[in-house]
């Protein structure tokens, strides 16, 4: 019997590891935006439990800081917010939550914007500009290139909270960013040039001139472009009106020119006088598409569109903004396909 005496300790060791893994405490992640929640879930996998505060069809500027949100944050190991002045309700929730480890500068705090090249930084600060964003435009979710930076930031945050899983998080991060590159540039172009080079060119505004002038294997590199950018060539260089200045990163990447907004200024509803001026401008510039998030007044957007014979493109702004929009990839698929169809319709 002595030769079997090692079996019991071995079984205890095996089952001990099994039970430990089965009941391992998941990292509680709370995010402001549903897009951040999706990215955190992709990177964290089965190591995380993710919840978000802003709903997919909700304006992130205007969220009432409910006690239930504070309770989520009180028990969070990691909190992900834009880090600018998009979610001005966060400080109130932070005070209510009383969780020191998720405050700015602490191990459990992630500023999603960190490392992103912010656009529309104001040269002067005045209330006359409406809901002015003093650090730059905070709607960073509108560019897939920004999502790659956001993913890096979330990966760093998760790795700080759970360093033993850092390699797991980084592997998932690399897969996510590779999928962004493939969907944005197309698999063939990524294979030829690599995602990092393409990203640098896109951020500098030099991607299209480069692809149009450079050759590989006897053909222009532009012929290898695929993905969202290829699909978006239908509207590259076109003019557009938006409801709110929340699309700047998307418009820059896809080469659209914003000539006006339905809002007078950020956060200030349109007056009849402003709408009249906007209609005149759209007619003068032959602008035939209006883009709006689906949490704004769709009837108002459609009324303006009818007056100038424009196509209203009303889309979900975040993951979950419509039942079928379940991922950040779905968000961009929806925007680009609906804009493409709108511009093709106006060309008929």
């Amino acid at each position: 019997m002595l030769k079997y005496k090692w079996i019991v300790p071995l079984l205890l060791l095996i089952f001990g590891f099994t039970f430990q893994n089965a009941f391992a405490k998941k990292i509680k992640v709370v995010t402001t935006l549903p897009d951040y929640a999706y990215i955190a879930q992709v990177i964290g996998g089965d190591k995380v439990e993710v919840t978000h505060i802003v709903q997919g069809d909700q304006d992130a500027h205007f969220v009432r800081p409910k006690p239930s949100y504070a309770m989520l944050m009180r028990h969070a190991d990691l909190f992900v917010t834009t880090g600018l002045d998009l979610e001005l309700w966060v400080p109130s929730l932070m005070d209510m939550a009383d969780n020191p480890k998720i405050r700015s500068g602490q191990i459990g705090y992630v500023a999603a914007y960190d490392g992103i090249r912010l656009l529309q930084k104001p040269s002067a600060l005045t209330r006359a500009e409406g809901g002015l964003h003093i650090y730059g435009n905070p709607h960073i979710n509108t560019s897939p290139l920004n999502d790659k930076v956001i993913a890096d930031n979330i990966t760093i945050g998760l790795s700080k909270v759970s360093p033993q899983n850092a390699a797991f998080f980084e592997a998932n991060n690399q897969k996510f960013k590779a999928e962004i590159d493939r969907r944005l540039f197309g698999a063939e172009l990524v294979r030829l040039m690599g995602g990092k080079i393409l990203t640098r060119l896109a951020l500098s505004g030099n991607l299209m001139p480069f692809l149009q002038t450079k050759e590989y294997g006897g053909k222009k590199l532009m012929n290898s472009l695929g993905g969202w950018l290829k699909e978006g060539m239908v509207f590259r260089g076109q003019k557009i009106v938006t409801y709110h200045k929340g699309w700047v990163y998307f418009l820059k990447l896809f080469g659209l020119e914003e000539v006006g907004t339905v809002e007078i200024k950020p956060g200030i509803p349109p007056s009849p006088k402003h709408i009249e001026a906007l209609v005149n401008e759209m007619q003068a510039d032959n602008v035939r598409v209006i883009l709006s998030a689906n949490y704004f007044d769709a009837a108002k957007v459609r009324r303006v569109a009818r007056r100038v014979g424009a196509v209203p493109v009303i889309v979900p702004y975040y993951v979950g903004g419509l039942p079928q929009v379940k991922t950040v990839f779905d968000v961009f698929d929806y925007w680009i396909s609906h804009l493409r169809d709108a511009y093709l319709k106006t060309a008929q």
Side-chain angles (χ1 to χ4, degrees):
M1 292 295 293
L2 289 176
K3 64 181 180 179
Y4 298 112
K5 66 181 181 180
W6 54 269
I7 293 178
V8 172
L10 179 61
L11 289 174
L12 288 172
L13 183 64
I14 292 171
F15 283 112
F17 276 117
T18 302
F19 286 126
Q20 182 181 358
N21 292 337
F23 297 103
K25 180 179 177 291
K26 292 193 176 187
I27 303 164
K28 293 186 184 299
V29 181
V30 176
T31 73
T32 53
L33 304 186
D35 293 29
Y36 303 160
Y38 174 77
I39 296 171
Q41 188 65 68
V42 168
I43 294 169
D46 60 0
K47 315 294 184 189
V48 299
E49 178 183 307
V50 186
T51 54
H52 56 87
I53 293 171
V54 180
Q55 299 307 302
D57 58 355
Q58 187 176 19
D59 188 343
H61 286 297
F62 305 107
V63 172
R64 186 163 63 89
K66 299 178 182 179
S68 58
Y69 300 153
M71 286 302 295
L72 288 174
M73 292 170 61
R74 178 171 296 177
H75 300 291
D77 301 303
L78 193 73
F79 178 61
V80 184
T81 183
T82 305
L84 300 169
D85 51 6
L86 175 67
E87 309 104 325
L88 291 175
W89 37 269
V90 162
S92 294
L93 281 179
M94 195 71 79
D95 290 341
M96 293 166 62
D98 192 26
N99 182 351
K101 67 184 177 185
I102 64 166
R103 287 189 175 273
S104 179
Q106 300 305 309
I107 191 171
Y109 178 88
V110 173
Y113 89 95
D114 192 25
I116 289 174
R117 302 178 188 181
L118 298 177
L119 303 175
Q120 293 182 339
K121 293 183 180 181
S123 56
L125 304 181
T126 167
R127 290 183 183 273
E129 293 303 316
L132 186 71
H133 297 297
I134 62 175
Y135 306 107
N137 194 297
H139 297 284
I140 57 175
N141 63 291
T142 58
S143 170
L145 295 179
N146 289 348
D147 276 349
K148 295 204 297 180
V149 180
I150 294 165
D152 282 339
N153 291 333
I154 291 174
T155 300
I156 291 169
L158 286 171
S159 298
K160 286 180 179 179
V161 171
S162 182
Q164 68 272 23
N165 291 307
F168 174 81
F169 299 143
E170 182 56 32
N172 288 341
N173 181 31
Q174 292 302 323
K175 290 177 186 176
F176 173 78
K177 294 192 295 183
E179 183 65 7
I180 287 281
D181 287 340
R182 186 187 70 80
R183 289 176 181 254
L184 180 62
F185 303 111
E188 183 181 356
L189 193 59
V190 172
R191 180 180 60 80
L192 292 175
M193 297 186 61
K196 289 184 179 180
I197 293 175
L198 291 169
T199 295
R200 281 202 302 271
L201 287 167
L203 287 172
S204 67
N206 293 318
L207 178 62
M208 292 304 163
F210 181 89
L211 297 179
Q212 289 164 349
T213 56
K214 302 298 181 180
E215 294 186 359
Y216 180 83
K219 66 175 185 178
K220 290 283 192 293
L221 282 171
M222 180 60 78
N223 295 329
S224 298
L225 179 68
W228 292 323
L229 286 173
K230 176 70 172 179
E231 190 175 1
M233 291 302 292
V234 170
F235 49 79
R236 180 167 288 274
Q238 298 295 318
K239 295 180 179 180
I240 195 168
V241 161
T242 66
Y243 189 97
H244 173 80
K245 282 190 173 295
W247 300 93
V248 56
Y249 299 97
F250 179 86
L251 301 182
K252 183 176 186 292
L253 179 59
F254 285 88
L256 280 157
E257 180 186 351
E258 184 181 61
V259 301
T261 59
V262 176
E263 286 182 323
I264 298 177
K265 288 172 182 173
I268 300 179
S271 65
K273 181 179 179 181
H274 172 72
I275 292 297
E276 195 63 35
L278 179 65
V279 166
N280 291 336
E281 186 173 12
M282 290 181 70
Q283 289 173 334
D285 286 344
N286 195 32
V287 181
R288 292 292 178 262
V289 174
I290 303 177
L291 176 63
S292 174
N294 64 358
Y295 51 72
F296 288 120
D297 189 340
K300 195 170 291 181
V301 174
R302 291 190 176 100
R303 282 198 299 271
V304 175
R306 280 196 298 270
R307 291 189 60 182
V308 296
V311 179
V313 180
I314 300 170
V315 299
Y317 198 66
Y318 298 121
V319 172
L322 285 176
Q324 67 267 37
V325 179
K326 302 179 187 301
T327 73
V328 294
F329 308 116
D330 294 339
V331 171
F332 293 115
D333 282 341
Y334 197 100
W335 295 354
I336 294 161
S337 64
H338 282 71
L339 282 170
R340 177 204 62 205
D341 292 347
Y343 279 96
L344 287 174
K345 184 176 181 180
T346 63
Q348 292 174 356

